[in-house]
Amino acid sequence: MLDMNEVTLIGTVGSGYNDNPAVQTRTGIGDNNSTVSNFSLVTEFPSRNGGNPSKTFVKINAWNERSHYSAQFNEGDRVFVKGSIKN
């Protein structure tokens, strides 16, 4: 049986941690001078009993070309993310 590690998320770009900007971008990483952008994606699930929705915060790392796109995201932007999970 073939294993698969693929995830699709739709959510909102969350605020940065400790008053950091929503999207942080670094360049010159590793031997091939890669670029990475990090941000939090917030997904919400409705409550079963009508209370407050449950929120999940997922840390996203976007590399190279995708980093250039995600560096333009602002807090509150609705985005679609497709990739794999590393735990």
Side-chain angles (χ1 to χ4, degrees):
M1 180 187 234
L2 180 66
D3 292 338
M4 189 167 106
N5 181 0
E6 185 176 51
V7 64
T8 301
L9 297 169
I10 299 173
T12 305
V13 176
S15 62
Y17 294 104
N18 301 325
D19 295 328
N20 291 328
V23 180
Q24 299 175 353
T25 303
R26 299 182 315 232
T27 58
I29 298 172
D31 294 336
N32 57 357
N33 290 326
S34 297
T35 302
V36 64
S37 291
N38 309 99
F39 61 95
S40 293
L41 185 73
V42 183
T43 60
E44 292 186 8
F45 299 95
S47 174
R48 291 184 189 191
N49 59 6
N52 291 334
S54 170
K55 293 183 180 181
T56 302
F57 294 81
V58 180
K59 292 182 181 181
I60 305 293
N61 299 320
W63 290 88
N64 297 322
E65 185 178 343
R66 290 175 178 89
S67 173
H68 298 294
Y69 293 115
S70 59
Q72 299 172 25
F73 295 162
N74 294 308
E75 183 176 351
D77 286 350
R78 190 129 173 102
V79 296
F80 173 91
V81 176
K82 187 172 184 177
S84 60
I85 292 180
K86 289 187 179 180
N87 189 5

